[in-house]
Amino acid sequence: EPALIFDLGGKFDKSFNEAAYMGAKRWADETGGTYKELEMQSEAQREQALRRLAETGANPIVMTGFAFGDVLNQVAPDYPDTKFAIIDMVVEQPNVQSVVFTEEQGSYLAGIMAAMASKSGTVGFIGGMDIPLIHKFECGFAQGFKAAKPDGKVLINYTGTTPAAWNDPVKGGELAKAQISQGADVIYAAAGGTGIGILQAAADEGILSVGVDSNQNHLHPGKVLTSMVKRVDNAVYDAFKNGVEPGVKVLDLKAEGVDVAIDDNNKALVTPEMQAAVDEARAKIAGGEIAVHDYMTDNACPVQ
Amino acid sequence: MNKMPKWADVILTPVISLVLAMAISAFVILAIGESPTVALTTMIDGALGSSYGWGFTLYYATNFIFTGLAVMVAYHASLFNIGGEGQAAMGGLGVALVLLSLPLPHWALALPAAMIGAALFGAAWALIPAWLQAKRGSHIVITTIMFNFIAAAALNYILVNLLRPVGSMDPASGRFPEATHLPKLSDMALALGFEWGKNTPVNISFFVAVIACVLVWLLIWRSRLGFEIRAFGKSEPAALYAGINPVRITVIAMLISGGLAGLMAINNVMGEAERLVLNAVEGAGFIGIAVALMGRNHPLGVFLAALLFGFLYQGGGELALWTSIPRELIIVIQALVILFTGALDNMVRMPLERMFLAMRKRGA
Amino acid sequence: MAAMMQGGGRLETAAPAAIELRGISKAFGSVQANRDIYLRVERGTIHGIIGENGAGKSTLMSILYGFYKPDAGEILVGGRPLTIADSQTAIRAGIGMVFQHFKLVQNFTVLENIILGAEEGRLLRPSLSKARGVLRQLAKDYELNVDPDEVVENLSVGHQQRVEILKALYRQADILILDEPTGVLTPAEADHLFRILEGLRAEGKTIILITHKLREIMEITDTVSVMRRGEMVASVKTAETSPEQLAELMVGRKVLLNVQKVPATPGKPVLEVRGLRMVDAAGVERLRGIDLDIRAGEILGVAGVSGNGQTQLLEILGGYPEKGSTVTGKARVNGTPLPLSGAGCNAAERRRQGLGHIPEDRQVEGLIMDFAAWENVAFGYHDAPEYGRGPLMDRDAIRRDAEGKIARFDVRPPSCDLAARNFSGGNQQKIVVAREIERNPDLLLIGQPTRGVDIGAIEFIHKRIVELRDAGKAILLVSVELDEIMSLSDRIAVMFDGRIMGERLPGATTTGELGLLMAGVDPATAPTRDGTLPAHTP
Amino acid sequence: MDLNTVLQILDSAVRLMTPLLLACLAGLYSERAGVFDIGLEGKMLMAAFSAATVAALTGNVWLGAMAGLLGALLLAAVHGIASITFRGNQLISGVAINFLASGLTVLLGQKIFGLGGRTPSLTPGAELETQVTPFRAWLSGTTGPDTAAALTATPRFGEITLPLAETLRGVPVIGPLYAEVISGHTILVYVAFLMVPLTWWVLYRTRFGLRLRAVGENPASVDTAGVSVTRLRFAAVAIAGLLCGLAGAYLATGLSAGFVKEMTAGRGFIALAALIFAKWRPWGALGATFLFGLLEAVANRYPNLDLGVITVPSMFMNALPYILTVIILAGFVGRAIPPRAGGEPYVKER
Ligand SMILES: Nc1ncnc2c1ncn2[C@@H]1O[C@H](COP(=O)(O)OP(=O)(O)OP(=O)(O)O)[C@@H](O)[C@H]1O
Ligand SMILES: Nc1ncnc2c1ncn2[C@@H]1O[C@H](COP(=O)(O)OP(=O)(O)OP(=O)(O)O)[C@@H](O)[C@H]1O
Ligand SMILES: [Mg+2]
Ligand SMILES: [Mg+2]
C-alpha cells in the first residue's frame, strides 16, 4: 500500500501539497486502490510519520517538500526495503527517488506570455515567504519576461516572514493592488493561499494574473492569463502506479513536469503569436538552445 | 476561611473541567461525523499508551515547560510577556551559532555552551522590550508582539542568506556536528539495559526543563530576588517604599523570562532537529501563555499543564496521522481544554464550594 | 443607664422609626460578620455606631444599602418592611451611603460622578446641566462647595467625601449612612462635615454615622450603638453615657484614652535637614526650604492639613522621592549625609542607615496585600542577613521572627499565614508598626499611624511609639490628627504650603493656635483686628 | 514620490487599516468596560468564516454579513460567560477563543465545502454557482420565485463611488484625494470610519457611555449607584463582538472574496497593539490604525529599498512596520494607562 505525506502547509494549501493530493486521488479513482495519507502537526512529526509508515509496511512512501530532505537522509537507511520518493529535494540514498521540477522553465514560459500580454511593459511577481524555492520561480519568470521584452520591468514582492505569509489573501490582494498602481498589468502569484487574494485583486482590477502549481485558470475564467503548472500530481500518480526508481528524477519541460496551462478558460487570452512564442521557447528549452538559469545553482539571478 | 479542602481545589476542579471539555469535544467530533470513542482511544493510546507515545508527549511538554516558565516569571513581575515566540526563535539562533562555530568535542560540553547561547539570545530579545517598558513606558505587550514579528523576519533573513548551506533548497542551517548531538532518553534507557521510547525525540533537555522548574520555584518563592519580583508585581508603590528598584526588577525579570524562552531551543533545535529550521518554534511561545496561566503561575502547575499540552499535541498528532479526522480538530480540543480548565473553572468550582460548605455545615 | 440594655437592647418610641433592622445575620464563608442584629434609628436623629475593627459595622450598613444580601433578618424603612435586593432599591427607598472606601470613578469629573446611575434619559447633556443646577443649590444649602468640573483624582480626600455626600443628596436621600467619614479628614474638615450633618438633621434627615472617634460620638450623635464581634451589644442615648463607658463596651475592657508619658530627655541630634526643596514632575514646588532637627529620645510632631508637603517630606527622607522630581538641600542622619537623588537615594539604603518608616498608606505602600503576614514582616528588610543566606531566604527564620512580632503586638488573628488583605485595618497597621519599631531604628518616620484604627489599637500603637522614644530614638511623626500630635509630640512643627510655619511646644500651645498655623496664618505676626502688628515677644 | 503614488499609498492604507480599526474599536468597548480581550483575532476569524460561508451558500453578501456578526457574537458570548458570569481569567478566555476559532473554522469549512477550510471564491463563476443554486432552488420552493430573485444580490461587497467623485477629480489635490482615497471603498469602510465619531459620541455623550467607562474604572461605583455591572459588561462585550463581526466580514467579503484558513494573519494582535497605542480612545484608535495601515502600505510599495550601496532585503521591509511601531512607541507616546479595573473580574464579596 503506497503512502503520501504532506508538508506542514497541509493537504489543501492551494499549492503543491494539493497537487500531490490530486495525483494520489486520481490514482485511487482509477485503480480503486487505497493509500495512506498523513498530515503533520509539527516539525518533530516528520521523522515520526516516516518511521511509523515504514514500519507499517507502506511502500512506496511519497513526501512533498524540501523540508523532509534532512530527516529522510536519516530515516531511509534504517528501512532499506522501503522505497521513498521526495518531491522538491535531492536526497542521495539507495532507496530514495528524488523528484525535482524545473520551475524556472515553466515560469520562463509564463514570463513570455506575461510579456506579450502586458500593454504597460510592467508585470509583477508576488511570492509567499522569501525562500530560495520561490526565488526559483521569480528568476525563471523574469528571464522569460526579459527575453520577450528586454526593456520591461518586473515588480517583486514577498508577502511575509512567518508561515502566515502563505495564508494571507488580504495582504496578497493589497500587494497586487500596489503593483497595479505601479503599472503592472500581469501578476504572477507564487504564494499558496495568499495567491487566491492576488488572483482576485487582479480580476477585480481588470488585469491579468498567472496562477501557480495547479491549474488555476478556472478561478477567474478569462482573467487568469495562464497557470504555471507543476505536475506534482503526475509525480505522485506515477510513483503510486509504477513504483519508485531510486535516483534523481528531473521533471522538466521536456518531461512535461512543468508547463503553462492553456484551456477553455484562458483560450481567448492566448493570441496565436503568444502561442507560437511559447511553443518556440518550449522547443528551444527542450532542445537545449535556451538555458534557463536556475537560481538555486548560485543564489543569483542573471536578470533583474 | 477556606470554602473547600485544598485537594478538591487542586485536583477535583481541574479533573471535572477536563471531563467537561472532553465531553464537548466528543460532541464536536460527532457533529463532523466521526467517532468520539475512536478519537479518544487514538489520542490516549498514541500519547500515553506506549513508551513511544510518552517519548513524544514528553518532548512537546519540554518545549512548553520552558515557554510556560518564561511567561510565568514575567507574570510575577506583572509583565505580560507575549514575546516567548520570538525569544525562543532567537534562542534557536543562539544554539545554532554556538554549535556551528565552536568545535565542541562532546555533548556534555556542547549542552552548557548551547544553553548559554540560547539563554543569552532569548534574553537579549527580551531586553529591549523590558528596557523600553521600564524607561520609556512603552507597553510590554505591544513591544513583545512586535518583537515576535521582527524575530521572524530576522531569522528568515539569516537562514536564507547566511546560515543556509550553498545549494540547499531548505532555508535551514547545516546539521550540527555529530559530537554535539544530545543523548535521547531512549539511548539512556538502552544504556540502563531496557528499551524505552525508541525513535522519539525526547532527550536530556527534559531533565534540564525539570531542573528549570525547580530553580524557578526556588527563585520565585525562596530567593530574595523572587521576593522582590513578586512584591513589585503586586504593587509598584510598595516596592518603591521597600527600596526595590522598578527598572532593575523589570529588566531582570524579563531577562530571566527571555532566557527561559530561549532555552527551549536546546530541546527542539539541538535535541530534535539538530539544525535550525525556519519557524522552529511553531507556536510554542503562545502555548506557553496558556500553560503558565493554567498552571496558576506555579512551576508545578506549569509542569502539569505542559504535560497536558504535550499529551494534546501528541495525541492530536496521532489523530491527524492515523484517522481521517482533520488535524484542526486538535486545535478545537485544545481550545476547549484551555477554556474549561483555565477560564471556566469557576463554573465547576462554585457549585463544588457550595457542596462542601453544605457538607461542613451538616457535619458541624 | 436606664435607657440602656445589654445585648439587643431597644429604645422604645411610638412613631415609626426611619430604619429598623430585626435579626439581621450575615456570614462570609465561615466568618459570622453580623449575628442577629437589632437596630432602630429614629427619624431626624444622628445615630452613631461604634465598634472595633472587624466588628461588622460596614457589613451591616452594606446590607442596609443593598450591597450585600443578608442571610436572615428583616429591614423596615419608615415602618414598612422592605426587601433590599440591590442598591437601586435602597436608593429608591431614600437611603444614601458614603462608603469607608469611596466608590468614586477617579478620572471622572465631580459632575459625572454625581449623575452616574441617576441620569435623566439616555443623553448626558440634560443630566449634566440639571445636576449642575441642583449642585449649586445644594452647595448653597449645606455649604458643600466643590468645583463640579474638577476631575476627582485631583481633589483632596475631604472634597472627595463631599462628592460622595452630594451624590447621596442628589438622589434625594432621607437617610444618610456615613462609614468612618472622618478617618481621612483634617480636624477643620471634620468640623465642617459636622456642621453639614447638623444642617441635614435640622432638615429632618436621618443620619447613621460610623466612627472610631468617641469625641465625635459625644459631640454630634443623639443615640449610639456599640458592636462587638458581629453582635450589637448596646444602644444608648448619647447624653446618658460617657467615652470611658463606650470604650469599655467596645473593647470589653478598660481603655486608657490618654497617652501616658514622661517628659523627654533629648540627646544628640539624629536628623538634621537644611533647606530641603522639591519640585515635582509637573514643575510644582512642593517643598520650599525645610529645616528640621530631631534629637535622640524625642518626638517631633508635624501637624498640617494633608497636601502641604508632608507626603513629599516623608518620601524624600524615606529614600523614594516622586519619579521625575528634583530635590535639593541637605539632610544628615547621625552625621552621615543622606543622598537625596541618584543611586544612593533608595529606601533599602536608608534602612541600612538606621531609618525606619511607617508609611502614610499601609495598604498601598506599607504592605503587599496578597502576601502572608510573615512575608510582610520581612518586607523591606528581605535583604537582612538574619533572614537568609546568600540569595536565598530562610523561611523558618523569618516565620519565627514574625510569630514573635505578631504575638508581641497582639495582631489578631495571630496567624502568620493569613494574607495581609484579610486582617482588619487596625491589625494591618500593627503588622507595619511591629516591623518598623522592632528593628529599633535610630530614626523612625511615621505617617498617620492610627488612621482608621480602633481605639484599642490606637492605645497600643501610641504606647509603642512612646516606648521607642524612651529607648532614645528619634521620631518624626506626621499626622493630621491634632489630638494625636498634641498628646504624642515633644515638639510640634506645623507645615503649610511646603514650609514649616512655626514650631511650638505642646504644653505651650492650643489647638486653636495650631489650627491658625495650619491655615498659613502665623498668629504671632498676623495683623490684629485693628491692622497693627503685635509686638514681638521672643 | 509624486502625488499619485502618495494617493495610491493612502488608498491602500485606508483599506488595510479598516479591519484593524474595527477590531481596535471592538477592543476599546470591551476594555473600557474592564474586560480584556485578546480574542479579537479569533472573533474576526470566526466572523470572516461565517460571513464567507453564508455569502457563498446564499449568494447574498448581506446575509453573509449578518452571519459574520452572529459568528463573532457567539464567541463574544463565550468570553462574556467565562469572564463576567464565572469571573474567569480574561486572558485565558481570550487565548481559548483564538484557538477555538482557528480550529472550528477549518473544521466546519471542510465539513461544508470540502475545500480544506477554504470557502468557494465569492466571484460569480462555476465554483460559486454550485453552492448558490441549491439554496435558490430551496428558497423558491418554499417562498416562490420572487423572493429567490430578490435574493440575487451580489455575494461580495462592491466598491461605492461617492457622489461627484469624477466631477471633482479635476480640482487640484483635493479632487484626486476625494476620488482616489475617499471614494471607491466598500460600504464597510465607511461604516468603520463612521464608527469613530459614533464611538466617541456614545462614550462621552450618552448615559450608556458614562456607565461603560465607569465600570471599567471602578465597577463598585456603578454597583453602588444601583446599576448592574454584569449587564453593562455583557453589553460591552457584545458590541465588541459585533465590531469584530464587521471586521471579519470586511476581510472575507469586502477586501477579499472568500475565506482562507487563518486569514486574519495576526491582525487581531496588531489591533490590540493599536488600542494600547491609542490609549483606549476612539480618535486615537483612528490615528493608531491609520499609522499601522500606512506603514504596511509603504512597505508593500517599496519591497526592496535600493539605497545605492546596499539593497535592503525584503525581510527587513516586511518587518519595517513593526520596527517603526517600536520606535514610535518608545519615542513619542508616553505611558498608556489602561482602564483601572481592566482584567479584574468584579467580585463583591469573597
Ligand atoms: N468582603 C468580605 N469577604 C469576606 N469577609 C468579609 C468581607 N467583608 C467583611 N468580612 C468579614 O466580616 C467581618 C466584619 O467586617 P466589617 O467590614 O463589617 O467590619 P467593620 O466593623 O466595618 O471594621 P472596620 O472598623 O475595620 O471598618 C470582618 O472581620 C471580616 O472577617
Ligand atoms: N477578602 C476578604 N476576606 C476576608 N476578610 C476580609 C476580606 N476583605 C476584607 N475583609 C475584612 O473586612 C474588614 C474590613 O475591611 P475593610 O477593607 O472594609 O476595611 P479596612 O481597610 O480593613 O479598615 P480601615 O480602613 O478601617 O482600617 C477587615 O476586618 C477584614 O478582615
Ligand atoms: Mg468598616
Ligand atoms: Mg475597615
Side-chain angles (χ1 to χ4, degrees), chain A residues 168-241:
Chain A
D168 194 345
V170 171
K171 175 123 190 191
E174 215 44 57
L175 286 172
K177 283 176 185 155
Q179 292 191 342
I180 292 166
S181 66
Q182 291 169 84
D185 57 359
V186 185
I187 296 177
Y188 182 21
T194 301
I196 293 177
I198 301 170
L199 266 50
Q200 182 71 50
D204 289 348
E205 301 283 320
I207 66 147
L208 296 173
S209 54
V210 178
V212 83
D213 286 341
S214 55
N215 186 345
Q216 297 180 319
N217 295 357
H218 68 280
L219 285 179
H220 302 279
K223 291 173 177 166
V224 179
L225 175 61
T226 183
S227 297
M228 199 295 279
V229 291
K230 176 173 164 185
R231 303 308 300 260
V232 177
D233 53 339
N234 284 355
V236 174
Y237 178 84
D238 200 47
F240 277 19
K241 188 161 187 199

Side-chain angles (χ1 to χ4, degrees), chain C residues 294-354:
Chain C
I294 310 178
R295 295 168 165 277
E298 76 170 346
I299 299 175
L300 175 70
V302 175
V305 177
S306 62
N308 277 291
Q310 299 99 314
T311 304
Q312 285 76 12
L313 178 65
L314 286 176
E315 283 178 357
I316 292 169
L317 293 177
Y320 56 108
E322 183 191 320
K323 208 172 157 185
S325 62
T326 18
V327 181
T328 52
K330 284 200 169 52
R332 282 196 295 191
V333 167
N334 287 332
T336 337
L338 290 182
L340 298 178
S341 61
C345 176
N346 77 63
E349 198 50 49
R350 293 285 205 274
R351 288 192 173 81
R352 261 170 247 135
Q353 290 194 22

Side-chain angles (χ1 to χ4, degrees), chain C residues 28 31 33 52-59 68 100 180 212, chain D residues 350:
Chain C
F28 293 106
V31 179
E52 281 184 292
N53 290 119
K57 309 178 294 288
S58 300
T59 305
Y68 291 157
Q100 184 175 358
E180 282 183 47
H212 287 300
Chain D
R350 270 175 280 182

